[in-house]
Amino acid sequence: MALRKEHAGPPLSLALLLFLGGCAQRGFWLLHPKGAIARTEWHTTVLDVAVMGGVVLVAGGLVAAFLWRYRVGSGSRKYDPTYTSSLVIELLVWGVPLMIVGYLSYFSVKSVFATNPYNPLAIRHALAHPRQTDEAMGRRADPALVSATAPGAHAPRALRVDVVTTDWQWVFIYPRQGVATVDELVVPVRTPVKFDLTSATVVNDFFIPELVGEIDIMPGMRTKQAMIASRTGLYHGYSDDFSGGGFSWMGFSTHVTGRAQFNGWVRRVRAAPDHLTYARFGQIARPTINLAQRVRYFSQVQKGLFDHVIERVMEGKVYRTPLAMTEDMTKPMKVRLIK
Amino acid sequence: MSQEAYVDPATAVLWDQSHTEHDMIATRTLGFWLYLLSDAMIVSSLFASYLVLDHRVNAAAGPTAGDVVHPMAAFWGTVLLFSAILAYGAAMVGLKRGNRTAVLVGLGGAFLLGGGFLLAEGYDFAQLALHGMVPERSGYLSAFYALVLYHGAHLVFGVLWIAVMMAQVARQGFTPNVVYRLLNLKLFWFFQGFIWIYVFSFVYLAGALHVH
Amino acid sequence: MLVDYPGPWTPLLGRLDAHQIPLQNPILFWTFVLVSLGAATVLGAVTYYRSWGYLWREWLTSLDHKRIGVMYCLLGVVMLFRGFIDGVMMRTQQVMAVGPKSPGYLGAVHGYLPPYHFGQIYSAHGTIMILFAITPILVGIMNIIVPLQIGARDMAYPYLNAVSFWLTAAATGLVMISLFIGDFSHAGWVGLSPLTELAYSPGVGVDYWSWAVQIGSVGTTLASINIIATIIKMRAPGMSWTKMPIFCWTALSTSVVGLSSFPVFTAAVALLSLDRYAGTHFFTPGLGGNLMLYTDLFWIWGHPEVYYVVLPAFGILSEIIPTFSEKPLFGYITMAAASIAIGGVSWSVWLHHFFTMGAGPGVNAFFSIASMLVGIPTGVKVFNWAFTLYRGRVRFDVPMLWALAALVLLLTGGLTGMMLAMPAINYTVHNSVFVVAHFHNMLNVVGFACFGAINYWFPKVFGFKLDERTGKLAFWFFSAGTVVLFGSMYALGFMGMPRRIDYIPFTSWRPLLIGEEVGIFLFLIASYYMVKQLFVSIRDRAKNRVTTSDAWGTSRSLEWLAHSPVPFYNFAVQPHVNARDEWAWRREHGLGHVRPDHYEDIHLPNNTPLPLMLGACAFALGFGLVWRMYWLALVSLIGIVIIVIARSFQDDPGHTLPGAQIRQMEAVYPDIPREAGATGGMLGGVVARHALAAPRSRARDD
Ligand code: HEA
Ligand code: HEA
Ligand code: CUA
Ligand SMILES: [Cu+2]
């Protein structure tokens, strides 16, 4: 990565540079956020590491210096076993960390509200000041984003996606578009996306490292998440809370596309023969490992399916994991495998 | 050089020859208090669970507190339990006087009254079960049974312990071991009454007042 | 019974049948063969050397706090090794199963472990390491050291002490036997809810986990009661609270944490068992259950538990660092206060383990700040250790090396802990291997402190030092392994890698996974040197014999006044405490070798096999419940009740050691250092009574 491109800014971005300089660009997803939420989260990380890193370096440096200075054989003649307490030092070691914690607490509270899954201020902020949010991170502002909210352009309407997890697949329902997919999420760029999430079985965790942080998905309950993507591309999403045998394969691909491509995609899905009724959902929810990451499209979705899943779970509906899937350690996995 | 050389080394006492016997009974009682603290933590967890699950949603369209609890029945249970505690108190008075018969009579009373409480509670639960209000029915009922029966299980243990102590008092008289056990059992027995106050108010009274 | 689980059931054997012994799995088969061979060798050796009587009299039925402590440590170290093997298996699977093209062996699609087996390994690893390795080692160390440091003859309740130990051993036994009969849980050491419910884990694995941790946590609760009462009631005359050694302060604080938090854990898991056995709905997703309730209850224990293990480790560092700096601990009062503060704050931070559950920003912010507050007293400790070094004379003996490395680990682990404590950061790394790296970093603080403590107090207990050269090699390899393995793991966290995956979907993670594998090799070398250190030390014990009570020459607290190895009665006469660092005070005033001039009779409890039997019953109870052999569970429950009642009728009269005999035994110990150390059957370590009483005991040294 070329250093010149970075804005020589406050020390924060310098710390950021240090981080980026040491690592290969590829793979370190958290270091390369592609959305306002993820960016705020990374920003907080950098700040916290910078502050705490300083403190820890001081503490470690003190220890190292004393070890060196007062090691046996150092020739130090200052041996003084009576030096066992000092009011000044005590005040410093209690007081200074207290102040630092106060400082960090302030930022913690601020960033909690900025990334609050139910109402992330970061998205509002990004929509209102696209240029500023990008540059605050010492990154080149995304010209596309700038033009999208240029005077005259109005903020795009949020896209709603209902997410249901099963053992071990993802069902994405687009209630407004009336379509659904399995294991593929497609969203338009620079558009706020609002998720409602629930699980048909056990707890999962919704995570797209480059775009948005985690939120738990719980059976019989509804959680929410919101995100906005600033760049088109393919991003990996997966469950981040262990949910049984097929957990490792529980990934989904997230395509962030332009508005037009998104509409085209919706049209393609609308042509799919499959319909997502509750009965069909019950088939999908049977323990299945989607080894091949095969994607499925549904051109119609039963109204209120999401709420129905929640209700049924609350009434005691369970999708049992067969014994052979959980206990048998010797034979190949005995669930439905999609290869 | 140590930081607090206030003691003059020349005259310092180095060894404690004065035969300090640790006060056995006090040590044992302290330990029992600590045990009670740990038990109180379990009870608090159960209470927390009860309060979380005492909600319309958790009744899963089944019976709620209002349908399950009978404060009057529980009131008579309370009377029995507190009489049992009173009886134990009488036994403690007997212990102070060193009167073996008084202790035995007090313990016997506590045994019977405690047993009576258990029978009444058992009857109550049998009635509930007959009406299909079993713990498997809903999260609320699970929490209800767990909390009340945890207290009940303690009483079973307490009654058993009283029986054992009656045997020991009769056989051994007031040896230090018997005395400390009687004292600990007192703590245990009173503690059950203490917990019952909470069960009675939060489960039975509050349950009866529920408006749905 | 009340619940429907798949599979057959018979009244006699419950769910157990021959298929449950996984002989067809080569990994388990060979483990089974190895463990059986090992057990046969040990039992054979005991029989060959006719040590059964000795084992029974001096160890299995002993109520001596040092013996029990040593058994605790032994149990912990063995389990640490088991946990390490688990770690090796996990790392190897993860480095093999990268990307869709990676081959699969032994029935796995990728790598060599199918998902459920992998799940069992990390669940067993986490449970074992925290509850049955690190905790027993720490409780063992507290058992040995606390009474010595406060000048007591034993714990407040020696019998209860043995019961605690045997309950822990029974729980450990349950975890171990799950390897060969049936399965272990796959739901993590935290028992992820509702994955632990019967619908999603229909086998016996979760039951093994739940009964083992319930029995184990009863043992630990009882141990906490014992330590608190010991510290409150048994301190030697003159030892006011401000003269109490700092390790005792941390032991006190930790035991208060343990006493108040372990019962919550027991309750949470007991309710889970009700769900699984009685069909209740505490944590089920439907029918009115609330799975978040479990998560809360678990972490209300789970978080204090991590401070439960770290506080004694802090105590250990606070003993080792002054000794090898030849200076008293800096800021004693604030160190004690910080210990209490850490214990206290630990109660109000549990929610930071599930920031992502969707609580409101206010709640998350509150727990974020509370979590960060813990950094303050911890920082106080770090700085006070630093100022203990200041103007000292620092030596780098093996215990000191472990202690200093622990300090460094604490700094890095604290840094990452402070990151996790910020919800906005936590949202990106929660449940990733970043968290795993954080807590291994922190738990290794505890591990390093334990290794330091073992090296530090070994001569006190066994009368000879551990070998220095191999000890240093073990230290350096272990440290290198820690840096390489967990360093790579931190980096993987920033790549978004989730924890608990048995198949790695992204090949870009491979280089760092290979880095972790290198770390495992370094750990392997380290454990080779650890075993070698023990072996060499025992072989050369005559050379490493310590000749004075003060093995390091610069120790400070009261335990160093007792002879090395410590005789079974600890102090012939109870010491009177004059200073905070009593031993250092006596040494510096030339009083180190002043003998009491009069010996009184000592009263000691008799040995009893009842705690061992209680442990056996608890094991049978757990086993019966796991397999739903209800008759066995009932029989062992009745057995427990009978033993408890029988004990209460027994009224152990104990036995009295006449003062004259003590004088004679004490004569074995020289006032002035001499070439050969005091007696001691090597095996006995802490000196056995027969070794002291019999005149030929000295001849046994060579
Ligand atoms: C105290 C706790 C503790 C300790 C010490 C360790 C130590 C180690 N742990 Fe573990 N670990 C956990 C607690 C601990 N762990 C927990 C709680 C989990 C989470 C489980 C879950 O997800 O639910 C976990 C999970 C965990 C994972 C799973 C990660 C995932 O979820 O993807 C991995 C994978 O690599 C791992 C590896 C290791 C390794 C390599 C070590 C090494 O550091 C081990 C080093 C040990 C040795 C090298 C042995 C030393 C030698 C001896 C003891 C023999 C000496 C003998 C004599 C002296 C006679 N651990
Ligand atoms: C010994 C064990 C131990 C210790 C001591 C700690 C210490 C800390 N831990 Fe850790 N932690 C674990 C063991 C431990 N942890 C385990 C086992 C888990 C995960 C379990 C699982 O999920 O399986 C976990 C998980 C965990 C999480 C949840 C992560 C997640 O799942 O998303 C969080 C979040 O806040 C956290 C925070 C902290 C903090 C703030 C400290 C603090 O106490 C650290 C304090 C130390 C310092 C800060 C450094 C020294 C101080 C200074 C140099 C002074 C200056 C300091 C300031 C100015 C603040 N820990
Ligand atoms: Cu947490 Cu639902
Ligand atoms: Cu925590």
Side-chain angles (χ1 to χ4, degrees), chain C residues 105-305:
Chain C
Y105 309 94
L106 303 177
V109 179
H110 299 281
Y112 70 107
L113 296 172
Y116 187 71
H117 196 167
F118 187 79
Q120 282 187 52
I121 294 179
Y122 65 69
S123 306
H125 168 85
T127 309
I128 285 177
M129 282 300 208
I130 291 201
L131 286 168
F132 304 121
I134 248 45
T135 301
I137 294 179
L138 291 172
V139 174
I141 292 172
M142 289 193 275
N143 238 298
I144 298 171
I145 299 305
V146 166
L148 288 173
Q149 281 199 335
I150 61 175
R153 195 143 280 146
D154 206 324
M155 300 284 275
Y157 320 112
Y159 177 80
L160 189 70
N161 199 18
V163 173
S164 312
F165 169 71
W166 287 110
L167 285 180
T168 310
T172 315
L174 273 182
V175 180
M176 287 310 281
I177 203 158
S178 76
L179 261 182
F180 309 121
I181 307 179
D183 304 274
F184 197 71
S185 166
H186 66 147
W189 79 283
V190 304
L192 295 166
S193 174
L195 191 63
T196 43
E197 291 290 337
L198 211 48
Y200 309 109
S201 301
V204 293
V206 173
D207 298 327
Y208 263 123
W209 172 80
S210 75
W211 296 116
V213 298
Q214 282 178 77
I215 294 171
S217 65
V218 172
T220 311
T221 311
L222 296 180
S224 297
I225 292 180
N226 217 334
I227 289 171
I228 298 176
T230 306
I231 291 177
I232 293 181
K233 284 283 177 188
M234 312 284 281
R235 276 171 296 137
M239 183 177 282
S240 58
W241 286 107
T242 54
K243 289 201 180 112
M244 193 162 79
I246 197 75
F247 180 71
C248 290
W249 272 109
T250 57
L252 182 64
S253 176
T254 222
S255 300
V256 172
V257 171
L259 173 71
S260 47
S261 69
F262 269 91
V264 180
F265 182 40
T266 316
V269 181
L271 296 184
L272 172 67
S273 296
L274 282 178
D275 275 5
R276 290 179 63 87
Y277 283 78
T280 54
H281 293 284
F282 285 101
F283 312 130
T284 54
L287 291 174
N290 186 335
L291 57 99
M292 299 188 290
L293 176 63
Y294 175 84
T295 314
D296 272 290
L297 288 177
F298 180 89
W299 285 114
I300 286 176
W301 164 77
H303 183 85
E305 157 67 12

Side-chain angles (χ1 to χ4, degrees), chain A residues 218 221, chain C residues 292 357:
Chain A
M218 295 171 284
M221 285 172 256
Chain C
M292 299 188 290
M357 227 203 226

